[in-house]
């Protein structure tokens, strides 16, 4: 059984977002750039402000066990 790696969206590296969560390098960069410019995400809804993040992506992240 695979161990679930808990990733925090507000502190995750590009590699954690890309490889661990499976978001891809471009979306990982967009998430990091957004949080560097705007501060940490306070709610899952805040992720909608990142271009390319859809409800499906948010559900994928939440279902992975990631935290804010």
């Amino acid at each position: 059984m695979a161990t679930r790696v808990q990733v925090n969206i507000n502190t995750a590296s590009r590699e954690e977002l890309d490889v661990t969560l499976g978001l891809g390098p471009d979306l990982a960069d967009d998430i990091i750039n957004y949080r560097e410019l705007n501060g940490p995400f306070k709610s899952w809804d805040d992720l909608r402000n990142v271009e390319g993040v859809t409800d499906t992506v948010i559900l994928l992240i939440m279902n992975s066990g990631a935290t804010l």
Side-chain angles (χ1 to χ4, degrees), residues 26-27 30-31 34 47-54:
D26 293 336
L27 192 52
D30 290 344
I31 289 171
Y34 183 89
L47 280 168
R48 288 186 177 92
N49 296 321
V50 178
E51 187 175 337
V53 174
T54 63

Side-chain angles (χ1 to χ4, degrees), residues 3-64:
T3 303
R4 215 180 216 190
V5 177
Q6 193 162 18
V7 174
N8 183 297
I9 299 301
N10 288 313
T11 59
S13 68
R14 180 182 194 255
E15 181 176 87
E16 289 172 315
L17 293 172
D18 175 13
V19 177
T20 306
L21 294 182
L23 299 181
D26 293 336
L27 192 52
D29 286 341
D30 290 344
I31 289 171
I32 290 170
N33 290 335
Y34 183 89
R35 89 177 174 219
E36 287 176 352
L37 291 172
N38 298 286
F41 297 100
K42 294 181 174 97
S43 72
W44 294 112
D45 286 336
D46 289 348
L47 280 168
R48 288 186 177 92
N49 296 321
V50 178
E51 187 175 337
V53 174
T54 63
D55 289 342
T56 302
V57 171
I58 292 171
L59 285 174
L60 171 77
I61 294 169
M62 289 172 65
N63 289 334
S64 75

